[in-house]
């Protein structure tokens, strides 16, 4: 009983066969809300999660994605507190500028901490691999 490996070649590459997950079309229907917290003019918050559910990432969302989503939510809530941007009024321009600078500062600090966490995990993996090689 001799073994033989057989292969075939197609006209298509594997990368060309990958399809995006099905996302059915949707319509947002405006209905009166019983909750005063809900704004009917904005899309439901759940729709903002679609950016975290690409086929490259698996569900449920990772802790990092949840933290990013919470940061986005905080940024939206903070922006709602600002007065309407009026290019002729320098005080509103300054307020918006200060808000954006503060958000960027927070994002930078949080991103630094994420990178530090990744470095710690990577170093732990490297140390474990080195220990395994020594044994």
């Amino acid at each position: 009983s001799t073994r033989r490996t057989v292969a075939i070649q197609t006209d298509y590459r594997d990368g060309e066969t990958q399809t995006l997950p099905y996302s059915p079309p949707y319509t947002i229907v405006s209905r009166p809300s019983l909750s005063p917290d809900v704004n009917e003019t904005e899309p439901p918050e759940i729709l903002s999660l679609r950016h975290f559910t690409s086929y490259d990432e698996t569900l449920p969302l990772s802790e990092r994605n949840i933290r990013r989503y919470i940061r986005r939510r905080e940024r939206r809530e903070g922006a709602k507190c600002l007065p309407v941007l009026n290019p002729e009024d320098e005080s509103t321009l300054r307020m918006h500028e200060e808000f954006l600078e503060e958000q960027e500062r927070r994002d930078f600090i949080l991103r630094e901490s994420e990178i530090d966490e990744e470095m710690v995990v990577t170093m732990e993996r490297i140390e474990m691999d080195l220990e395994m090689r020594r044994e």
Side-chain angles (χ1 to χ4, degrees), residues 15-116:
E16 293 171 346
T17 61
Q18 177 64 46
T19 60
L20 297 174
Y22 175 68
S23 297
Y26 58 85
T27 305
I28 300 171
V29 179
S30 178
R31 293 185 219 164
S33 174
L34 299 175
S35 172
D37 300 340
V38 176
N39 183 351
E40 285 87 24
T41 60
E42 293 181 12
E45 190 176 26
I46 191 74
L47 292 179
S48 64
L49 293 175
R50 71 178 182 267
H51 302 292
F52 295 117
T53 58
S54 67
Y55 67 91
D56 293 331
E57 297 182 32
T58 59
L59 289 176
L61 298 175
S62 69
E63 185 178 338
R64 177 187 295 166
N65 285 341
I66 291 171
R67 283 186 287 185
R68 286 181 185 164
Y69 178 74
I70 289 170
R71 282 196 310 250
R72 284 184 184 179
R73 179 191 287 173
E74 289 170 351
R75 185 175 246 185
R76 282 193 312 266
E77 293 299 319
K80 286 179 184 178
C81 298
L82 293 172
V84 177
L85 185 61
N86 182 357
E88 297 172 5
D89 183 10
E90 288 197 27
S91 65
T92 59
L93 286 173
R94 259 194 317 276
M95 288 177 71
H96 281 264
E97 186 178 281
E98 289 171 5
F99 171 76
L100 290 174
E101 286 177 359
E102 180 61 29
Q103 288 299 320
E104 286 178 9
R105 206 173 1 263
R106 285 183 187 173
D107 290 345
F108 185 79
I109 291 169
L110 289 169
R111 183 64 186 135
E112 266 189 331
S113 68
E114 286 177 353
I115 291 170
D116 289 343

